[in-house]
Amino acid sequence: GFVANTLYLAESDYGKRDEKIPGLSIGLWAQYFLDNFATVDEAVRHIRKHPVQIATGMLGNSGKKAQGHLALSDAKGDSAIIEYVDGKMRLYHGKQYRVMTNSPTFDKQLANLKRYKGFGGTQTLPGTTQAADRFVRAVFYEQHLPQPHNTREVVGGVLSVMRNVATPFGKPDPEYPNIAATQWTSVADSTHRIYFFERQLSPNIVWIKLDELDFKKGASILKFDLAKNLDQVGDVTGDFKPASPFQFLSP
């Protein structure tokens, strides 16, 4: 299993369009990696030799551009974080890079982490909803998860950490979309290829067994609409319905 995930990063700067470099819509960024690679190492080696330039567009009706960074992981436990700062790609590759939140840039997140107990510093664990504080808590609690005995304990442990670093509902600040309330939480079991999803407006968790879906070329386009099935719980692999193709963000 190979996982790609993007999060908002206000400091992202993809640079002025250079026609010599292939362009890729930020809306297709994660999908590009999912479609073309099976492991993090394979993806990293390719993107180093064949760089792309991310092209962005407006983020819904916010009046702001879509800006983000990308996290990659696989069933081998490998991870990578990719950001674009000052028009240049910054790539952090290694099993130690397992946590990503939002601002500031990843180098500053790592530097800030060293200020806290357990990471070389003296400060106690921070508790605000700021992304830098959530990053510290996520790294700390992830490192202190007990050794699991089964998949249920793995998923439960990861969810417990993610719930701790989620942003609760409250009055949004349009100037800081990166600290908006958490709308959903997902866990990707890349070993057993099961995708767990929890919507904050639903009291239940649903999951999808990817190996039971048809991904062959020419297969029907299907969708499970949780918004219309808020009381659904458990395995929803067999509940997908015909749907129109997903419309990716255009730059």
Side-chain angles (χ1 to χ4, degrees):
F2 181 60
V3 182
N5 182 51
T6 56
L7 288 177
Y8 194 90
L9 179 65
E11 293 86 352
S12 296
D13 178 5
Y14 307 109
K16 184 179 179 180
R17 183 73 184 103
D18 183 353
E19 297 295 338
K20 297 178 182 178
I21 304 175
L24 178 66
S25 167
I26 191 171
L28 283 164
W29 195 10
Q31 192 66 48
Y32 170 78
F33 282 93
L34 293 174
D35 287 347
N36 289 285
F37 309 106
T39 66
V40 172
D41 186 65
E42 182 183 339
V44 167
R45 284 188 285 109
H46 177 88
I47 205 65
R48 287 192 189 278
K49 292 182 180 179
H50 307 283
V52 297
Q53 184 176 30
I54 302 302
T56 189
M58 302 310 293
L59 186 63
N61 298 319
S62 67
K64 296 182 178 295
K65 286 186 176 180
Q67 297 170 287
H69 46 183
L70 181 75
L72 304 174
S73 63
D74 62 29
K76 297 180 179 180
D78 200 5
S79 303
I81 306 291
I82 303 176
E83 296 181 340
Y84 284 81
V85 182
D86 297 326
K88 304 291 184 181
M89 181 179 72
R90 294 182 181 179
L91 199 157
Y92 305 84
H93 179 206
K95 294 184 177 182
Q96 68 272 33
Y97 302 125
R98 296 192 294 268
V99 172
M100 183 179 80
T101 56
N102 306 104
S103 299
T105 53
F106 199 67
D107 58 331
K108 294 180 180 179
Q109 294 273 34
L110 296 176
N112 178 62
L113 182 65
K114 296 178 181 179
R115 299 165 52 208
Y116 294 90
K117 292 180 180 179
F119 305 103
T122 59
Q123 295 192 33
T124 56
L125 213 59
T128 79
T129 57
Q130 293 292 328
D133 288 354
R134 293 188 285 112
F135 180 89
V136 174
R137 294 204 305 278
V139 174
F140 178 86
Y141 287 120
E142 188 271 340
Q143 289 186 359
H144 287 80
L145 284 173
Q147 183 65 33
H149 298 94
N150 51 53
T151 302
R152 184 177 292 271
E153 291 185 6
V154 173
V155 175
V158 172
L159 278 172
S160 74
V161 174
M162 296 179 72
R163 287 165 177 158
N164 182 282
V165 300
T167 303
F169 284 2
K171 185 178 180 180
D173 186 341
E175 293 299 316
Y176 298 96
N178 52 308
I179 55 173
T182 298
Q183 300 288 340
W184 66 84
T185 305
S186 61
V187 175
D189 179 351
S190 52
T191 300
H192 303 97
R193 295 167 55 83
I194 302 175
Y195 189 79
F196 299 83
F197 190 90
E198 177 184 55
R199 191 164 184 253
Q200 300 309 100
L201 297 180
S202 172
N204 305 319
I205 294 178
V206 298
W207 57 85
I208 302 157
K209 297 177 180 178
L210 297 180
D211 288 340
E212 295 182 12
L213 297 177
D214 186 0
F215 291 106
K216 296 186 183 70
K217 184 177 180 179
S220 300
I221 298 172
L222 303 174
K223 173 184 178 181
F224 173 71
D225 193 340
L226 183 60
K228 296 180 180 179
N229 297 272
L230 288 177
D231 292 330
Q232 196 85 359
V233 61
D235 187 352
V236 297
T237 311
D239 297 319
F240 280 67
K241 307 297 182 184
S244 300
F246 180 78
Q247 296 298 312
F248 289 96
L249 177 72
S250 297

